[in-house]
Amino acid sequence: MKKDIETSEDVALLVNTFYYKVQKDDVIGYFFSEVAKVNWDEHLPHMIQFWETVLLGKATFEGWPMRTHLVLSQKEKLKPHHFERWIELWYGIIDEKFEGEIANEAKNRAKIMRDLILFKIDQMEQKQGFIQ
């Protein structure tokens, strides 16, 4: 039987396993390697802190991830299918490693983030369309 996401170590396992797959992914991997040019030594601890804050209530994350995604989408458009792939990989890792209330919450939060980021990207593009 799999366990729920309960500790910082569990979050680290989830995040590290997820981003390992993301880096190799044919659909979204290039966003990280070529568009954002992610420094993984810096990014992974930051993402672990983010998900610790979201899932475990630890106030370890500081930042504004929405801005990061909006800036990235101006470099190369983030589209719904990119987020669908992100969700697919995220759910796959969760289902492979964990089960329980917090694991389910990790899925729900990912969907909320996807929807909010896509909404904000759409808003940004509409405003830019009015400006031009």
Side-chain angles (χ1 to χ4, degrees):
M1 184 168 149
K2 297 176 239 176
K3 66 180 270 215
D4 204 354
I5 301 167
E6 300 170 336
T7 66
S8 296
E9 291 78 16
D10 294 336
V11 173
L13 175 64
L14 170 60
V15 169
N16 288 327
T17 306
F18 171 71
Y19 280 108
Y20 177 79
K21 284 200 173 191
V22 163
Q23 290 176 60
K24 299 178 180 321
D25 189 73
D26 292 340
V27 177
I28 62 174
Y30 78 97
F31 267 101
F32 295 86
S33 62
E34 296 172 30
V35 181
K37 297 183 173 138
V38 168
N39 176 330
W40 292 104
D41 292 334
E42 292 177 11
H43 188 65
L44 290 174
H46 204 57
M47 290 297 87
I48 291 167
Q49 289 174 335
F50 174 80
W51 285 104
E52 279 180 333
T53 300
V54 169
L55 299 176
L56 304 181
K58 294 185 175 188
T60 58
F61 178 78
E62 293 181 12
W64 187 26
M66 182 61 66
R67 181 180 189 283
T68 302
H69 289 89
L70 293 175
V71 168
L72 183 63
S73 191
Q74 287 182 322
K75 290 181 181 180
E76 180 151 349
K77 170 113 166 124
L78 288 164
K79 298 179 182 174
H81 78 274
H82 297 124
F83 285 95
E84 291 310 315
R85 182 62 179 155
W86 183 81
I87 291 282
E88 183 182 343
L89 293 172
W90 183 250
Y91 278 29
I93 297 301
I94 293 169
D95 290 341
E96 179 185 315
K97 305 278 184 196
F98 302 102
E99 65 183 2
E101 186 177 328
I102 299 172
N104 290 334
E105 186 62 19
K107 292 177 180 180
N108 290 335
R109 295 291 180 107
K111 284 192 288 190
I112 291 167
M113 285 178 222
R114 173 202 60 201
D115 294 345
L116 182 58
I117 292 168
L118 286 171
F119 174 75
K120 291 291 189 180
I121 288 170
D122 187 52
Q123 273 190 324
M124 180 182 65
E125 289 177 346
Q126 287 181 19
K127 286 180 183 179
Q128 288 175 345
F130 289 121
I131 294 170
Q132 295 174 355

